[in-house]
Amino acid sequence: MRIRVLLAAFVLCSVSACGGEQPAVETTEPPPVEPATEGAATAAEPQQPALDSDDSPAGTSIIAAGSEFGDMLYDDSGQAIYLFDVESDGEPLCYEQCALAWPPVLTDGEPVAADGVDTELLGTVERTDGTAQVTYNGWPLYFYAAEEPWEVKCHNVFGFGGLWLVVTPEGEAAP
């Protein structure tokens, strides 16, 4: 019986994984990590802007670039960045299974803003394990584990109790 329940959960997760045309459904397990498909939404690879440098250790670099949802945030390797709408108070709530599917954007130094990113909106928040998670306009930031660089598969997707939304350079969720 347990195997049937696990198999049913796997099938449900596979069908509802980000990138498809199906409506979003709440999941309790992380979605399976699958290679990108030809039909997956991708942004045109923009030119990466030059980053400012100084003598302090550089933290995670955040850039703004175009996507099908308008300009949004990425890290400097092109990973799309999301916010979790239930974290409006700025405290991270995504841990354990959630953080496996939605890894936090972490930094070892102060995050670095590239052209199009407002330095005043960048910050950090301490996670329960002591690591520093990058924030933007107070929102803790995340990646989706099953995306390739410049790929945006999970905008406006419900999972782990809230909506996952890409972040605009103004610090808000994209429409």
Side-chain angles (χ1 to χ4, degrees):
M1 179 67 171
R2 181 181 170 145
I3 293 174
R4 276 197 223 159
V5 171
L6 290 174
L7 181 58
F10 176 76
V11 170
L12 179 61
C13 287
S14 296
V15 171
S16 65
C18 297
E21 295 297 320
Q22 303 86 9
V25 297
E26 182 173 5
T27 60
T28 57
E29 295 291 322
V33 178
E34 300 173 358
T37 60
E38 288 184 29
T42 57
E45 188 168 335
Q47 296 293 328
Q48 294 183 12
L51 302 173
D52 294 334
S53 64
D54 59 22
D55 293 337
S56 62
T60 300
S61 298
I62 307 297
I63 68 171
S67 78
E68 67 182 282
F69 306 105
D71 285 347
M72 59 174 278
L73 301 184
Y74 297 86
D75 75 353
D76 64 351
S77 71
Q79 283 305 133
I81 293 178
Y82 296 84
L83 62 79
F84 189 32
D85 77 337
V86 298
E87 297 178 337
S88 60
D89 67 356
E91 289 299 315
L93 298 174
C94 183
Y95 290 94
E96 298 171 2
Q97 293 298 311
C98 178
L100 291 175
W102 296 94
V105 178
L106 300 176
T107 188
D108 289 326
E110 287 298 313
V112 178
D115 290 338
V117 175
D118 188 341
T119 302
E120 299 290 318
L121 297 180
L122 271 176
T124 60
V125 64
E126 188 174 342
R127 292 181 59 82
T128 57
D129 64 2
T131 58
Q133 183 171 358
V134 179
T135 62
Y136 198 69
N137 195 26
W139 292 100
L141 302 179
Y142 297 89
F143 302 114
Y144 177 59
E147 286 180 343
E148 297 295 322
W150 310 113
E151 187 174 51
V152 182
K153 296 191 324 189
C154 292
H155 174 66
N156 200 27
V157 170
F158 190 87
F160 298 98
L163 280 176
W164 296 91
L165 304 155
V166 296
V167 185
T168 69
E170 295 75 33
E172 301 299 328

